[in-house]
Amino acid sequence: MDIYHLFQRRGLTTSQRHFSSAFLNKADNYLCLRGRRGPSSDALIELFQTLVREGRLMLAARVAWAVLWLKPEVRR
């Protein structure tokens, strides 16, 4: 599952630049630099914690699922 596309389908973000800065608290070009690897496990864990604090528990659960099943080469 691609977290960025999940947020895009739900209308929460319109671009990778927006997703990188608004949700991952990273530089605007973060996802572009990561390429096909997607966000690191650290970035996804921070996203999970933010979503829980905001009470967006279903989205947090989807992010947690993605973190648990990350391939080893994507984790960092």
Side-chain angles (χ1 to χ4, degrees):
M1 172 182 41
D2 183 349
I3 296 299
Y4 164 70
H5 287 108
L6 172 67
F7 277 64
Q8 187 181 39
R9 281 193 307 272
R10 291 184 177 214
L12 299 172
T13 190
T14 57
S15 68
Q16 288 185 350
R17 294 178 73 78
H18 176 259
F19 182 75
S20 293
S21 62
F23 289 103
L24 299 178
N25 295 318
K26 302 286 185 187
D28 288 347
N29 62 345
Y30 175 75
L31 281 182
C32 180
L33 293 174
R34 295 279 302 171
R36 293 185 309 180
R37 293 177 296 163
S40 69
S41 57
D42 289 342
L44 291 175
I45 290 168
E46 288 183 36
L47 174 59
F48 169 80
Q49 292 171 335
T50 300
L51 293 170
V52 168
R53 279 193 301 273
E54 292 176 356
R56 297 174 139 187
L57 301 181
M58 292 304 290
L59 268 177
R62 297 287 297 267
V63 171
W65 181 262
V67 171
L68 289 173
W69 297 108
L70 279 176
K71 295 177 183 174
E73 63 270 13
V74 178
R75 292 187 182 156
R76 297 272 177 212

